[in-house]
Amino acid sequence: MADERTQVVIVGAGPAGMLLSHLLAADGVDSVVVETRSEEYVAARIRAGILEQSSVDLLTEVGLGDRLTRDADKHRGIYLQWPEERHHLDFVDLVGRAVYVYGQTEIQKDLIDARRAAGQVVHYEVTDTALHDIESDRPSVTFTDSEGRARTVVADAIVGCDGSFGPSRAAIPARESWDRTYPYSWFGILADVAPSTDELIYAWHPDGFALHSMRSESVSRFYLQVPNGTDPASWSDDQIWDALAARLGHGQNGWTLQPGQITDRSVLPMRSHVSTPMRHGRLFLAGDAAHIVPPTGAKGLNLAIADVALLAPALTALLKGDPRLADGYSETALRRVWRCTHFSWWMTTMLHTTEDPFDTQLQLSQLRWVTSSQHAAAGLAENYAGLPIGF
């Protein structure tokens, strides 16, 4: 049994875990990261692509903004659309904040490069991960490393950044959770084609929701509302482009959708989940280990960043003998979690069609209100562009 000693063990090497290790290192706190997947797999996961202003500010302040500042596409707002109508909401005019298109894969590359240069210890491709003694001041994590050796890392605190299926959430006793499973999924498509829009288009359509997003000047990201259980292979390329053209309004007021080569397709179930508390003893949860939101409001990655931005100073203070921030972490983080959970639900239910004609009229009424009332538009903009960390 090989033993290691560190101050914080971080379970999960995604953006939340790697950013936390970076923030802790800046405060002089040592950490060890353990991850079940390979480095290549974690770096290549195609997930979120929208960063709030506060997330960009934080990443820049901690030395992770070089490529972000150079390559991110700054957006002033979004388009909301339904048949024969398209309206632009300018977040900068409404609330003074923009959003930025910069994929999670790019953030992960920046974090991996920065932590490797700093000599961060990361154990990839581990198995049998288990948490022990979380109510003591010497908790530990055991696992089998990629070479088959049993290992133990003893620490002062453990942080679970290991998503909804990792061991961290399950290690908290007497936890309470809230769930909402939506009756539809997102069919995600990545295509080698320049975006046909300058900013994201969120489209309500009788056939189902559609979203035109982007990853770069030459790569576009699209989503279609589909029934749960849809097999992505059951759609031909022509069917995909025809559905996108219809739902996004190809030909409407002269706008055209440019098709291209589809390079990736996947189906993402839609759900909301909040697990409380986010701390028990010396175990803390961050990111998807504590909460999941549907992607409609672009909150998932930004919530994870906000969590670790709160948690890093709390852990630093705790290790110096001051427990106040750590004691308040769960309550403080959950205020923002629930606000973002509500906003994500609100955007989702406003834009995704059902078979109920009553729902249809409510959704269209809400869309007309949001695009005609400055106060309503400002509320959407404030939530989408991001509330302050620690809200």
Side-chain angles (χ1 to χ4, degrees), residues 143-201:
F143 57 92
T144 302
D145 69 17
S146 59
E147 297 180 359
R149 296 175 298 183
R151 304 183 68 100
T152 298
V153 183
V154 179
D156 300 302
I158 300 171
V159 180
C161 300
D162 47 344
S164 57
F165 300 109
S168 299
R169 180 195 295 174
I172 293 185
R175 68 186 186 279
E176 189 172 7
S177 62
W178 291 263
D179 290 274
R180 172 66 53 86
T181 299
Y182 299 87
Y184 34 73
S185 298
W186 270 18
F187 185 10
I189 299 101
L190 198 66
D192 284 339
V193 61
S196 300
T197 180
D198 59 334
E199 295 182 341
L200 275 68
I201 302 172

Side-chain angles (χ1 to χ4, degrees), residues 18 55 71 83-84 107 122 180 201 237 271 302 316 338 360:
M18 295 298 272
S55 297
D71 298 339
E84 307 306 323
I107 294 173
V122 183
R180 172 66 53 86
I201 302 172
D237 287 7
R271 61 184 293 238
N302 292 289
T316 301
W338 277 114
T360 297

Side-chain angles (χ1 to χ4, degrees), residues 16-96:
M18 295 298 272
L19 178 57
L20 179 60
S21 72
H22 187 84
L23 298 176
L24 290 173
D27 288 334
V29 175
D30 294 329
S31 65
V32 169
V33 182
V34 298
E35 167 62 50
T36 59
R37 302 286 191 171
S38 68
E39 179 179 320
E40 294 74 21
Y41 178 92
V42 176
R45 283 186 293 200
I46 300 173
R47 297 286 179 85
I50 303 296
L51 290 177
E52 299 172 359
Q53 183 71 60
S54 59
S55 297
V56 171
D57 291 344
L58 173 67
L59 293 169
T60 303
E61 289 168 7
V62 299
L64 296 168
D66 289 347
R67 284 203 319 129
L68 171 58
T69 301
R70 184 182 70 243
D71 298 339
D73 189 5
K74 181 179 180 180
H75 286 193
R76 292 181 63 94
I78 61 171
Y79 294 99
L80 284 181
Q81 176 179 305
W82 59 97
E84 307 306 323
E85 300 271 357
R86 180 180 292 175
H87 300 267
H88 184 249
L89 301 186
D90 191 309
F91 298 163
V92 177
D93 284 348
L94 289 164
V95 296

Side-chain angles (χ1 to χ4, degrees), residues 192-369:
D192 284 339
V193 61
S196 300
T197 180
D198 59 334
E199 295 182 341
L200 275 68
I201 302 172
Y202 284 79
W204 182 97
H205 190 273
D207 294 342
F209 168 76
L211 171 63
H212 187 337
S213 183
M214 61 281 291
R215 285 294 177 266
S216 69
E217 294 180 354
S218 59
V219 177
S220 295
R221 185 76 164 154
F222 302 93
Y223 297 96
L224 289 165
Q225 177 186 342
V226 295
N228 289 338
T230 295
D231 179 1
S234 67
W235 285 61
S236 69
D237 287 7
D238 287 343
Q239 286 176 309
I240 291 170
W241 289 115
D242 287 347
L244 286 169
R247 298 186 195 186
L248 290 170
H250 177 79
Q252 182 175 310
N253 296 321
W255 181 81
T256 59
L257 174 67
Q258 182 63 43
Q261 181 182 0
I262 295 174
T263 59
D264 184 80
R265 56 177 72 194
S266 60
V267 171
L268 173 68
M270 306 278 281
R271 61 184 293 238
S272 297
H273 172 88
V274 179
S275 183
T276 64
M278 292 175 62
R279 183 255 177 114
H280 181 81
R282 288 295 180 99
L283 170 62
F284 300 80
L285 302 181
D288 286 358
H291 42 75
I292 297 170
V293 292
T296 324
K299 295 294 110 185
L301 175 58
N302 292 289
L303 266 179
I305 291 173
D307 286 349
V308 298
L310 290 173
L311 188 51
L315 289 172
T316 301
L318 177 65
L319 298 180
K320 293 179 179 179
D322 184 351
R324 288 174 295 177
L325 289 177
D327 290 344
Y329 165 69
S330 182
E331 181 180 355
T332 301
L334 283 167
R335 286 201 298 270
R336 197 177 202 272
V337 167
W338 277 114
R339 174 85 300 275
C340 292
T341 297
H342 178 270
F343 176 68
S344 300
W345 166 85
W346 182 77
M347 285 283 287
T348 300
T349 55
M350 177 173 67
L351 289 161
H352 290 73
T353 57
T354 72
E355 296 181 356
D356 187 340
F358 188 77
D359 286 347
T360 297
Q361 296 306 317
L362 292 178
Q363 291 167 333
L364 292 172
S365 175
Q366 190 161 241
L367 285 164
R368 294 186 190 104
W369 172 61

